[in-house]
Amino acid sequence: MLEPVKFSSYHGGAREEGLLDFSASLNPYPPEWLDEMFERAKGISDRYPYYERLEEGLSELIGEEVTVTAGITEALYLLGTLALRGRKVVVPRHTYGEYERTAHIFGAEVIKGPNEPWKLAELVEKDSVVFFCNPNNPDGRFYRVKELKPLLDAAEDNKALLVLDEAFMDFVKNFESPEGENVVKLRTFTKGYGLPGIRVGYVIGFPEAFRSVRMPWGIGSTGAAFLEFLLEDRLKHLKKTVPLIWREKERIEKALNVRSDANFFIKRVGDAKKVVEALRGRGILVRSCESFGLPEHIRFSVKRPEENEILVRALKEV
């Protein structure tokens, strides 16, 4: 009676404990107020978490009206409800797999294209939806507004919806983001605060539409407590810790001859599966990029100095 969707995606993050996990691209420095936040979550878990006031505070902090969601994942499903059914969806070939999976779930026609915005622009059709991850996952390439212009123009000329996934924006030096009436921006605190278990993100663009289909109480009491502390923190945690990640990123780039605009790298290693297993045998977890269509590459994140040194040594030996 119910048939499964014949498309799946794979994600990073350890499925078992005891491994030094480089497969998930997260800030390795947790907020100092984490324990207090969990105590607050415990204290408010006996009532429904209404967070409209917190949403207003976040809008003031960001400088634009936002719609709070349970991470970017919920935002993608809201997009499916609002915009994907019966439409053509343009997705780059080597990028986050949930765009294509969500399109299949909602019965959209998927068109795969190059990762470069000026080439992807050629595939934009009237009333289509275009997904673009910036910086891109898994290669970490960031395109500035000037470089995105062909894609922005193509979307505007064809009355298409351009969905920009800016999940890793916190790690980009001198980050910039385009404006546009037909642009939706998806953002999350998962990466910058290193808390993937706390599902809090937000959408910029079309607030009334997104709020009309949003699941009530979606972020739970822990998410509401996180937003309370985030608003009090005023993003100071990012200003304090991201420069530490930049410093380590530059060191890894020199040591392994890799390059990225984000907090993770891909490296061509030949047989990615073989290298992943060899590193696992040493207690280190990296991500095979096979699910991205890059079976010869692995992806690994930037962690603390002593952890990065372990990975660099192991990669050179392997």
Side-chain angles (χ1 to χ4, degrees):
M1 183 180 293
L2 298 178
E3 295 294 326
V5 174
K6 293 179 172 60
F7 185 88
S8 61
S9 57
Y10 183 83
H11 301 286
R15 271 72 169 171
E16 58 187 279
E17 296 183 6
L19 294 172
L20 185 54
D21 186 7
F22 288 86
S23 70
S25 305
L26 308 169
N27 187 337
Y29 303 98
E32 296 175 353
W33 35 261
L34 203 55
D35 290 340
E36 296 175 69
M37 185 207 75
F38 282 120
E39 281 298 315
R40 172 61 175 163
K42 181 180 177 181
I44 62 174
S45 62
D46 61 347
R47 57 182 184 267
Y48 288 106
Y50 292 98
Y51 49 85
E52 286 81 357
R53 177 182 57 82
L54 298 173
E55 191 170 59
E56 292 175 2
L58 183 60
S59 297
E60 183 272 327
L61 178 63
I62 300 300
E64 296 185 74
E65 188 172 8
V66 307
T67 302
V68 170
T69 58
I72 283 178
T73 304
E74 185 194 7
L76 289 174
Y77 282 77
L78 299 181
L79 265 170
T81 301
L82 292 168
L84 298 188
R85 295 188 188 278
R87 298 176 81 168
K88 291 185 178 180
V89 175
V90 182
V91 181
R93 286 194 181 90
H94 308 299
T95 196
Y96 185 47
E98 284 298 316
Y99 312 144
E100 187 172 355
R101 180 172 178 265
T102 307
H104 282 286
I105 288 172
F106 287 93
E109 178 185 346
V110 176
I111 302 170
K112 302 295 283 291
N115 280 56
E116 296 86 353
W118 48 89
K119 293 181 180 178
L120 199 66
E122 298 175 2
L123 301 178
V124 178
E125 299 183 18
K126 182 175 173 57
D127 296 325
S128 61
V129 179
V130 187
F131 284 96
F132 198 78
C133 189
N134 197 36
N136 187 47
N137 180 13
D139 58 81
R141 173 71 188 272
F142 177 69
Y143 292 93
R144 303 210 164 268
V145 173
K146 183 178 180 180
E147 298 171 293
L148 288 175
K149 194 172 187 309
L151 187 57
L152 293 162
D153 290 344
E156 183 176 348
D157 293 344
N158 289 281
K159 292 182 170 56
L161 183 68
L162 176 59
V163 182
L164 291 177
D165 181 344
E166 299 176 336
F168 295 97
M169 59 173 282
D170 295 327
F171 305 103
V172 176
K173 287 188 176 181
N174 303 314
F175 177 80
E176 56 185 52
S177 183
E179 303 295 331
E181 292 184 357
N182 60 333
V183 174
V184 171
K185 303 175 190 179
L186 312 181
R187 296 177 179 176
T188 181
F189 296 108
T190 292
K191 318 299 182 183
Y193 282 78
L195 299 170
I198 300 176
R199 309 302 304 156
V200 180
Y202 62 95
V203 178
I204 295 178
F206 304 96
E208 292 184 4
F210 278 98
R211 291 170 190 171
S212 72
V213 295
R214 179 174 56 184
M215 184 171 64
W217 318 302
I219 64 174
S221 59
T222 305
F226 171 81
L227 275 178
E228 287 182 2
F229 278 80
L230 175 83
L231 292 176
E232 186 175 341
D233 177 69
R234 309 297 292 182
L235 306 180
K236 292 177 184 175
H237 176 69
L238 294 177
K239 296 173 184 176
K240 179 180 178 180
T241 59
V242 170
L244 302 177
I245 296 171
W246 286 341
R247 187 187 308 161
E248 280 301 291
K249 185 168 80 77
E250 292 173 2
R251 190 169 70 87
I252 294 174
E253 286 176 338
K254 294 176 182 178
L256 296 176
N257 191 28
V258 289
R259 179 77 177 88
S260 173
D261 295 311
N263 64 323
F264 54 87
F265 301 96
I266 61 170
K267 185 171 179 63
R268 189 171 185 174
V269 294
D271 188 337
K273 282 186 176 180
K274 185 176 180 180
V275 172
V276 169
E277 287 307 310
L279 290 171
R280 181 187 288 271
R282 295 166 181 249
I284 300 169
L285 184 62
V286 298
R287 170 82 183 271
S288 166
C289 291
E290 184 177 10
S291 63
F292 293 103
L294 299 167
E296 296 186 346
H297 291 75
I298 61 171
R299 191 195 70 189
F300 51 91
S301 61
V302 180
K303 294 178 76 67
R304 295 171 184 255
E306 61 275 14
E307 297 168 325
N308 296 329
E309 189 58 39
I310 293 172
L311 176 68
V312 168
R313 285 202 308 267
L315 273 175
K316 288 182 176 180
E317 292 170 5
V318 168

